[in-house]
Amino acid sequence: MPDLRALRAAMTLDEKTAMMSGADTWTLPGVDRLGVADVKCTDGPNGARGNGLLGSGLPALCVPCGSALGATWNVDLVERVGEVLGDEALSKGARMLLAPTINLHRTPTGGRNFECFSEDPVLTGELAAAYIRGVQSRGVATTPKHLVANDAEFERNTTDSVIDERTLREVYLLPFEMAVRRGGAWGVMSSYNRLNGTFCCENRWLVRDVLMGEWGFDGVVVSDWFAVRSLTASLEAGLHLEMPGPALHWGEGRLAAAVRAGEAAEADVDAAVDRLLRLRERVGALAGPLDTTERVEEVPERVAVARRAAAEATVLLVNDGILPLDVAALRRLAVVGPNASVARIMGGGSANINPLHRTSPLDALVARLGDDVEVVHARGCDNERFVPALDIAFDVDVFAGHEPAGEPVDSVRMANGRLVWSDPPGGLDADEWSVRASASFVPVDTGVHTVSLVQAGRARLWLDDRLVCDGWDTDLVAGDDLFGFAREPLTADVDLVEGVPVALTVEYANRDTQVVFGAKVGLGRPAGADPIAAAEAAAAGADAVIVVVGTNDEWETEGRDRTTTQLPGDQNELIRRVAAVNGRCIVVVNAGAPVAMDWVGDVAAVLDVWFGGQEMAEALVDVLVGDSDPGGRLPTTFPLRDEWTPAHLAYPGENSVTAYAERMFVGHRFSDARALPVLFAFGHGLSYTTFTTSATLSASSVEPGEGLTVRVVVTNTGKRRGHHVVQCYVAPSAPRLARPPTELKGFAKVDLAAGESREVTIDLGPRAFAHYDPGDRDFAALVEGLPVPAGRGHERSGPGWVVDPGRYDVLVAESAVVVHHVLPVDIAGSGPVVIEPVGL
Ligand code: BGC
């Protein structure tokens, strides 16, 4: 065991402080002379991207997004996914994966909901802990993120999430607590936003008192990228690492100078360095440099895990019996919708990676069924937010200086149409640089096309030597593509002819921008007369029609929330018209978060495949034809109306203040408490088979601070193999304080053959019955001298986790609204009790 204290003692102040901020975008610098290695980190969370940004970089395995993993409700499977992601991080030379994202679905339209597991803190916390255990089993650190209350993208860099302590502890902090206590996370990422007035990176109560003090977190607190706002306040609060480099506050000798000037304490630096060394010990980085070379690895076992996870994430929302498809009876299958012929497999922003392959649902269906079934396709309508990016490879010449002139200093190839960088391309070491990127494409239509040029920096675009978009020196309005660093797109209409190749040149200079550098070329196809009519025609003579609708990584992305759950474009109209001509209509929803479904009563089946990762299309076919049971259950409530969601009146707040006014009543807790109808309840999802359950409790009465065990025997009473998720909710019968009517406290998933039975046990810990009471420290002073009667309303307890005596019902359910067993339990005692230890 290396002596970490001795190692730190051997370091100079400059060496220690240099370790505390990034060397570049993705490197935690070490100290060469002492064998302390640089550690590379990578996003995260649905794959290990390696270098690069926004889908650029070498190909990597793309697993289902966070909400899809949430829909699996499968702790063991998510741990396996974590192991695979740990291996993937190693293949990119990284020892720290910037994941998982464990903020909550406070609103159904949060831009990063696809990255987060669920609306529910317990489901999120259990899956987060499993994911972390999996990744870290490979010697790769995790950074559950973003601590805390970064639940929306609106003004995320400034917004103040104003939340009372009880709500924080019971809801938004709980997944982080579980990630630390149960997952043993080696890192935590603090968020951009403020919490109750103080930026999270400099929130001493949050970082020092709760995370490190109460929860005993012994890892590294890393800032979100550019989230640090101060030199000393963040250090004093307990932050250990400012990213990226060169760091704005602690970088380039500033932290060492502050220590020398007596403005920052060397003891705080030492404490941070001890943790950064412990991190290196954990990831094996104390014996000289690590190999940070990036490799592309296509490992069948890992791909199989991604495929299984995609199938177990698929939620069958509605089924009139059409699914699974009777393939033998199919002659003609129509596959329509804007997400049918493209692979919408992940959301946008820092989670975006370059997958090993992109397979569309249409391609997967043709490959699997095409020999025996005639598959016809029509897109039906568009659903893009921006003019769709041209997915072509560019040859890129790199130049020093802001003019792409003279001899290039390097040449690189950018494979997937994205000319996006976080550092100069080709390893160039220059502040000012530019590129000339060349490509060609062959139009598939004749007519007037819209070309667009999005730029973070300065760019211009030629088609066949004609300058069509010129942003080189023009005034441009700020836009929100490319992480919000782009300007509004420039567009032009051009006549193109089917089959006649077009040469395309983009020049780009990294002027007038920061953080994100690059450009994106879009090409919109000519509008047809009535695209929905073509889909109706395709559907009319088919034995069944599959309509693949949803969003994409421009609608659901870091940097911007959606404004509505409505499907973009004419997709609702498409579904209605197609369902009217063919009643055997199966809608596949391909989106990371809830969408409205006014048409739900008009169709035969609805499946939700989320952003299912690179194996999504194969898994979808597995489910459609019955090779896999649709194993998913909703990890989030699908509301009937956006107005009936918990944060509707409080989001996004004003003047950069977001009051979490709905308090603990997030997700189903809100619709339950308000008795509001929902489109689909939290936990809902159908199987191809049927189940019965019987349930008992290990005790019918317990002392405060004791837990109990729920035993459930599940029997598959149908004719096929399938999944059942046992969900345990706790409902206090006569709560003294405001409490959600039911809260999820435990769950278990089983996969049973036809006729098979299995007993599952779910442990409800002491906290399952508790609420958090921040305590009223001044109460005694307030009542001093007053004749205050004892009794309801006057009990004071806390601070801490408090159990009130009385009756609680343990509900064994298949969703938040379909309950199979109500098992009462009495908690003994005559008044509230603060429970010790704080066991989860
Ligand atoms: C995101 C983080 C991410 C980081 C590095 C930030 O914009 O909020 O989740 O890990 O960038 O890409």
Side-chain angles (χ1 to χ4, degrees):
M1 282 287 247
D3 181 346
L4 301 185
R5 296 248 158 168
L7 203 48
R8 189 242 295 157
M11 290 181 188
T12 65
L13 177 64
D14 292 315
E15 285 170 336
K16 288 189 290 189
T17 51
M19 280 184 73
M20 292 172 62
S21 53
D24 56 33
T25 312
W26 307 119
T27 307
L28 286 55
V31 181
D32 261 5
R33 83 178 170 88
L34 297 172
V36 177
D38 290 359
V39 170
K40 179 170 165 185
C41 61
T42 179
D43 285 309
N46 48 224
R49 185 185 53 233
N51 295 323
L53 206 60
L54 291 177
S56 63
L58 284 184
L61 180 77
C62 178
V63 303
C65 71
S67 50
L69 293 182
T72 68
W73 290 67
N74 190 332
V75 172
D76 295 338
L77 177 61
V78 171
E79 184 163 341
R80 184 74 193 102
V81 169
E83 290 165 3
V84 162
L85 291 173
D87 290 335
E88 283 287 308
L90 293 173
S91 79
K92 296 292 180 279
R95 297 288 197 288
M96 179 185 254
L97 186 69
L98 304 174
T101 310
I102 58 172
N103 300 116
L104 297 181
H105 301 167
R106 177 175 174 242
T107 66
T109 49
R112 295 181 87 167
N113 281 11
F114 75 88
E115 268 186 66
C116 308
F117 294 122
S118 168
E119 71 183 22
D120 185 85
V122 169
L123 179 58
T124 301
E126 293 285 6
L127 297 181
Y131 181 109
I132 290 163
R133 288 192 298 266
V135 175
Q136 293 186 172
S137 73
R138 300 312 204 243
V140 174
T142 58
T143 63
K145 61 189 187 182
H146 312 82
L147 185 74
V148 63
N150 181 188
D151 306 296
E153 292 301 282
F154 185 80
E155 296 186 355
R156 67 171 174 168
N157 294 301
T158 52
T159 200
D160 186 11
S161 297
V162 175
I163 315 180
D164 67 278
E165 187 176 348
R166 179 175 168 201
T167 302
L168 259 178
R169 300 273 194 171
E170 291 183 17
V171 182
Y172 298 95
L173 283 175
L174 186 56
F176 288 93
E177 184 179 0
M178 294 171 81
V180 169
R181 290 188 196 267
R182 291 219 181 139
W186 296 342
V188 161
M189 187 186 289
S190 65
S191 60
Y192 288 116
N193 54 286
R194 291 176 289 160
L195 174 68
N196 295 328
T198 307
F199 281 106
C200 288
C201 289
E202 49 192 51
N203 195 315
R204 194 185 167 97
W205 174 81
L206 177 67
V207 177
R208 206 177 270 282
D209 298 351
V210 176
L211 172 66
M212 298 199 284
E214 288 180 31
W215 302 346
F217 173 68
D218 67 358
V220 168
V221 183
V222 51
S223 71
D224 200 343
W225 268 226
F226 303 103
V228 177
R229 295 309 189 95
S230 61
L231 191 152
T232 49
S234 50
L235 183 71
E236 284 165 10
L239 188 79
H240 308 124
L241 178 63
E242 180 183 5
M243 288 300 284
L248 296 175
H249 295 277
W250 293 359
E252 298 176 322
R254 282 183 281 271
L255 183 52
V259 173
R260 289 196 177 97
E263 290 156 9
E266 188 158 359
D268 287 339
V269 169
D270 286 348
V273 170
D274 286 346
R275 284 165 181 261
L276 288 160
L277 288 174
R278 187 181 298 139
L279 175 79
R280 283 174 173 77
E281 186 178 32
R282 287 170 161 166
V283 303
L286 287 175
L290 294 168
D291 182 8
T292 55
T293 321
E294 303 204 340
R295 296 178 308 277
V296 180
E297 291 180 354
E298 186 147 10
V299 182
E301 293 78 31
R302 293 186 209 159
V303 172
V305 171
R307 181 158 167 180
R308 184 176 151 212
E312 283 213 26
T314 299
V315 187
L316 179 59
L317 293 167
V318 172
N319 188 15
D320 74 354
I322 189 172
L323 290 178
L325 286 169
D326 179 0
V327 178
L330 278 186
R331 298 279 166 278
R332 188 162 199 242
L333 179 69
V335 182
V336 307
N339 282 14
S341 63
V342 284
R344 302 297 190 201
I345 56 179
M346 62 188 125
S350 59
N352 214 259
I353 67 170
N354 184 7
L356 291 170
H357 66 89
R358 291 173 191 268
T359 304
S360 71
L362 177 64
D363 286 346
L365 280 161
V366 170
R368 201 85 71 84
L369 306 179
D371 286 348
D372 307 310
V373 180
E374 183 195 356
V375 180
V376 291
H377 167 66
R379 186 171 157 80
C381 67
D382 292 331
N383 66 354
E384 279 90 4
R385 180 165 166 233
F386 303 112
V387 178
L390 249 184
D391 193 359
I392 50 175
F394 283 94
D395 289 313
V396 182
D397 287 336
V398 185
F399 301 85
H402 279 158
E403 284 300 325
E407 277 301 300
V409 291
D410 205 349
S411 296
V412 292
R413 191 164 167 82
M414 302 292 282
N416 64 353
R418 303 197 187 206
L419 301 166
V420 186
W421 298 272
S422 53
D423 295 304
L428 177 70
D429 184 15
D431 291 339
E432 297 184 359
W433 51 273
S434 52
V435 303
R436 182 178 304 112
S438 317
S440 66
F441 66 95
V442 181
V444 293
D445 300 288
T446 297
V448 180
H449 292 62
T450 305
V451 288
S452 76
L453 179 65
V454 170
Q455 51 203 305
R458 293 292 182 172
R460 51 194 169 195
L461 166 70
W462 285 264
L463 290 189
D464 285 338
D465 298 329
R466 187 159 77 87
L467 183 63
V468 289
C469 296
D470 186 359
W472 205 248
D473 285 313
T474 13
D475 280 346
L476 296 169
V477 180
D480 49 15
D481 201 352
L482 300 182
F483 260 124
F485 287 94
R487 301 215 163 61
E488 278 294 310
L490 295 172
T491 57
D493 286 344
V494 291
D495 268 319
L496 301 177
V497 180
E498 181 187 344
V500 179
V502 180
L504 185 152
T505 308
V506 178
E507 287 187 348
Y508 171 82
N510 75 329
R511 273 192 291 126
D512 305 333
T513 188
Q514 50 174 347
V515 184
V516 175
F517 308 104
K520 199 168 93 177
V521 180
L523 182 72
R525 291 163 61 172
D530 176 6
I532 295 182
E536 286 174 306
D543 300 314
V545 49
I546 296 171
V547 192
V548 191
V549 295
T551 62
N552 60 24
D553 60 6
E554 291 171 340
W555 292 107
E556 292 192 66
T557 179
E558 179 178 342
R560 186 178 178 278
D561 298 323
R562 286 185 299 162
T563 54
T564 168
T565 59
Q566 290 295 330
L567 285 167
D570 295 332
Q571 297 184 92
N572 288 329
E573 173 75 3
L574 170 71
I575 296 165
R576 266 187 227 104
R577 282 173 56 184
V578 165
V581 299
N582 190 329
R584 290 174 56 78
C585 177
I586 300 153
V587 177
V588 175
V589 176
N590 174 201
V595 301
M597 304 182 196
D598 304 346
W599 34 260
V600 72
D602 304 338
V603 300
V606 184
L607 276 168
D608 195 325
V609 295
W610 314 97
F611 293 138
Q614 66 177 48
E615 302 305 312
M616 179 188 84
E618 299 297 349
L620 168 64
V621 184
D622 291 341
V623 170
L624 287 170
V625 303
D627 288 352
S628 295
D629 187 55
R633 303 293 181 266
L634 289 182
T636 204
T637 305
F638 275 40
L640 207 48
R641 305 175 58 122
D642 293 359
E643 294 85 346
W644 294 352
T645 56
H648 184 69
L649 294 177
Y651 167 86
E654 54 207 45
N655 299 326
S656 256
V657 176
T658 305
Y660 280 47
E662 71 286 358
R663 303 192 66 217
M664 306 79 68
F665 297 89
V666 64
H668 76 86
R669 299 151 175 237
F670 177 77
S671 37
D672 293 351
R674 286 259 183 235
L676 284 171
V678 295
L679 176 61
F680 295 111
F682 175 76
H684 169 71
L686 306 170
S687 166
Y688 288 154
T689 183
T690 50
F691 297 91
T692 56
T693 54
S694 63
T696 50
L697 293 185
S698 60
S700 57
S701 92
V702 293
E703 296 293 321
E706 279 180 2
L708 49 78
T709 300
V710 191
R711 291 180 196 290
V712 184
V713 178
V714 187
T715 305
N716 180 344
T717 50
K719 295 195 172 53
R720 316 175 64 99
R721 186 171 199 95
H723 298 95
H724 183 71
V725 178
V726 179
Q727 304 169 28
C728 270
Y729 298 81
V730 170
S733 352
R736 183 172 55 94
L737 306 176
R739 281 181 85 153
T742 65
E743 292 175 20
L744 181 78
K745 296 296 178 183
F747 59 93
K749 187 174 195 181
V750 284
D751 174 16
L752 297 178
E756 198 186 348
S757 283
R758 192 172 313 153
E759 182 183 84
V760 296
T761 55
I762 296 170
D763 290 325
L764 300 180
R767 287 262 291 266
F769 304 98
H771 64 275
Y772 189 83
D773 189 335
D776 181 351
R777 291 155 186 99
D778 296 331
F779 185 64
L782 286 175
V783 298
E784 202 184 331
L786 288 178
V788 179
R792 193 176 150 81
H794 291 292
E795 295 96 337
R796 287 299 188 269
S797 48
W801 291 97
V802 173
V803 174
D804 286 344
R807 178 179 153 164
Y808 292 74
D809 287 330
V810 174
L811 312 180
V812 177
E814 65 172 66
S815 77
V817 300
V818 179
V819 175
H820 294 297
H821 310 278
V822 179
L823 307 171
V825 57
D826 278 312
I827 299 203
S830 54
V833 174
V834 179
I835 53 169
E836 294 287 351
V838 286
L840 285 166

